[in-house]
Amino acid sequence: MTSPINCLSILVIPLLVTSLLYQVSARQKVDEAFLRSVCQKVKDPDFCFSTLKADPRTFAGASLAVVSIAIVIDTIQVAVDQIPGLFRDLSDRVDRIRMENCQRDFNDGLLTLRNAYAASASKNYAQSTSLIIDTINKIGACDNSYKIPPVRKSPIADATTNVLKKCDIAVAAIVTISA
């Protein structure tokens, strides 16, 4: 007959080993060299490096994947907050419809990124990456709507570019951490 201590050790020892291995693998030291290695995977490495280095959360001990998604969430939230004020300056019906669609795309993207954040926090990197790509497609749809006739410059073109570049950073961080 097995004693309660033997049963307990059968359960606890594997958990301790797993925990120790997790601590070693999950705690990638975030320094400038590590940031540069992540940023080499994106289209604009200098923007990536300056974005990550400027955010204090990068060095606060959280997963870089989680931090990079949080950075995108902050950026998209600024754009979402900006959009309602843009409607005052839009008198053309086509421009209003495009901005309404962009508002929906950005709001959907924000919700999707929050889910990506949760997935990344629970180490579900495949789902997190998929959700970020979904956000990229939503924001891209907004951007593309201004490229069809009548072609016009989007009032949120800079915000769109910023969100897309930061999504690229988040995907690179996830790829690096999950490798």
Side-chain angles (χ1 to χ4, degrees), residues 1-128:
M1 185 162 158
T2 307
S3 74
I5 293 178
N6 285 342
C7 287
L8 187 59
S9 67
I10 290 171
L11 294 173
V12 172
I13 291 173
L15 288 174
L16 287 173
V17 171
T18 303
S19 175
L20 288 172
L21 290 175
Y22 169 75
Q23 293 295 330
V24 170
S25 65
R27 301 235 176 188
Q28 171 68 46
K29 182 180 178 199
V30 177
D31 57 14
E32 288 191 16
F34 180 69
L35 293 183
R36 289 196 190 286
S37 73
V38 170
C39 291
Q40 291 307 311
K41 297 176 174 116
V42 303
K43 295 174 190 161
D44 190 344
D46 293 333
F47 175 81
C48 172
F49 184 76
S50 64
T51 298
L52 292 174
K53 189 173 178 189
D55 195 296
R57 296 172 290 191
T58 299
F59 303 102
S63 163
L64 189 61
V66 171
V67 170
S68 63
I69 295 169
I71 291 170
V72 184
I73 288 171
D74 294 346
T75 304
I76 204 167
Q77 183 65 61
V78 168
V80 165
D81 294 344
Q82 173 190 7
I83 291 173
L86 297 174
F87 282 104
R88 288 185 295 250
D89 299 330
L90 300 177
S91 57
D92 184 75
R93 186 178 73 77
V94 171
D95 287 337
R96 289 189 71 77
I97 290 170
R98 286 178 178 170
M99 189 52 60
E100 287 168 357
N101 290 336
C102 285
Q103 185 176 34
R104 187 172 32 261
D105 292 336
F106 271 74
N107 281 321
D108 289 349
L110 184 58
L111 292 173
T112 303
L113 281 173
R114 287 182 178 143
N115 290 330
Y117 181 94
S120 190
S122 66
K123 311 285 186 266
N124 188 343
Y125 297 124
Q127 181 183 20
S128 184

Side-chain angles (χ1 to χ4, degrees), residues 155-175:
I156 56 171
D158 291 340
T160 300
T161 299
N162 213 6
V163 168
L164 293 173
K165 288 170 85 171
K166 289 179 180 178
C167 281
D168 194 25
I169 294 169
V171 170
I174 291 169
V175 166

